[in-house]
Amino acid sequence: MSKPACYSVKAFATPAAAAPLAAAVIERRQPLATDVQIAIRYCGVCHSDLHFARNEWGFTHYPAVPGHEIVGTVTAVGAGVKKFKVGDTVGVGCLVDSCRACPSCRAGLEQYCDQGLTGGTYGGWDKHLNAPTLGGYSQEIVVTEDFVLRMPANLDLAAAAPLLCAGITTYSPLRHWKVGPGHKVGVVGLGGLGHMAVKFARAFGAHVVLFTTTPGKAADAQRLGAHEVVVSKDEKQMAAHAGSFDFILDAVSAQHDLNACLNLLKRDGNLTLVGAPEKPLPVAAFPLLLRRRSLSGSLIGGLPETQEMLDFCGQHGITSDIELIRMDQINEAYERMLRSDVKYRFVIDMKTL
Ligand code: NAP
Ligand code: ZN
Ligand code: ZN
């Protein structure tokens, strides 16, 4: 495949794991027949952006441009584009491509593509430019229409941006495990993902208990929809809930005691991990053996379910609780995220780039 014509856009990038993010210029392809060109208005800041920028998962190519909670306005479409037109308000999440032929892709589960995560919005491989994909901390992005989502018209656009990752990553496992009325559901960690999990689990009718290391977040957790709040460092509070949960979603970004969380599950209960800490989390056998508990993981969500989640949020008026920042505040935002000091998602106002 020959390289398509390109143009330059402003971005924020990092040249190395230990370097801060700074202004840069990157290339985007001129829209091809099935491409949608998007002027980015807001981009959410996911903890994955930080893991990736600092190469904590070990697969970052530099210079790296994070950002996969993208909302913006269509500025051009290729001749073959059917679903979008100039002026539409659209979203792009964690995926911009996949093989589209394997069983997972054909089932609309592009995040589990047999070829791996080659189509990541960042950290993937751009087959047109034969280069690493570059994410949403940028003025514009060009994406094939099958990976572009329609934003509900009634939602605040900045607050809706985090739905593209934090939203779908929590919605998908809660749906997969059929969380609903009569279920006691735990959410571990009140950050970007955790606060969306609380909102969705509540909207699905479950009894929601939030586990936090930050006692000062209790009132917020209740306002966001939790029925109960447990400080996970308090053994007495933890013991009071032992063996009582149907389902737990673990959205913690760092090392923590997974076994203490597993012990909260009742017979046949499941703990799904969405957090992706840098280092392995030790799991003891007995918390799983006792009560036939299971531990699983879940990765973002496919395109059809992401659209379903956005439509659900439109119908129910669900968005993220955000703090809007300027592009040049990104390094400070990362430091605050590491201190669990985010209420509850940073979103970059892209006109400040
Ligand atoms: P975040 O906003 O930084 O939230 C993480 C929360 O984890 C913190 O607010 C804190 O909540 C808790 N926490 C942090 N350090 C902890 C520790 N040492 N022990 C216990 N709890 C701790 O991060 P996020 O954007 O929600 O992302 C969370 C994780 O999910 C990241 O690892 C991210 O890479 C991953 N992720 C995975 C997927 C996927 O597809 N599976 C998608 C997106 C993100 P409290 O203050 O309440 O304790
Ligand atoms: Zn993310
Ligand atoms: Zn595939």
Side-chain angles (χ1 to χ4, degrees), residues 98-106 109-110 112-116:
S98 73
C99 91
R100 300 185 224 188
C102 76
S104 293
C105 285
R106 275 185 282 139
L109 296 168
E110 298 88 351
Y112 303 123
C113 176
D114 286 353
Q115 308 281 316

Side-chain angles (χ1 to χ4, degrees), residues 86-150:
V86 171
D88 285 353
T89 304
V90 295
V92 176
C94 305
L95 296 171
V96 291
D97 204 359
S98 73
C99 91
R100 300 185 224 188
C102 76
S104 293
C105 285
R106 275 185 282 139
L109 296 168
E110 298 88 351
Q111 77 275 33
Y112 303 123
C113 176
D114 286 353
Q115 308 281 316
L117 256 187
T118 56
T121 302
Y122 58 79
W125 192 256
D126 186 327
K127 65 187 180 211
H128 302 287
L129 302 186
N130 198 27
T133 52
L134 302 172
Y137 297 180
S138 58
Q139 280 179 311
E140 294 186 9
I141 192 165
V142 178
V143 180
T144 186
E145 70 168 330
D146 292 345
F147 288 78
V148 178
L149 297 139
R150 202 167 282 290

Side-chain angles (χ1 to χ4, degrees), residues 45-49 68-69 94 122 164-166 169 193 300 345:
V45 179
C46 181
H47 206 114
S48 299
D49 298 357
H68 59 200
E69 294 181 337
C94 305
Y122 58 79
L164 276 310
C165 175
T169 301
L193 267 56
I300 50 171
R345 194 61 140 187

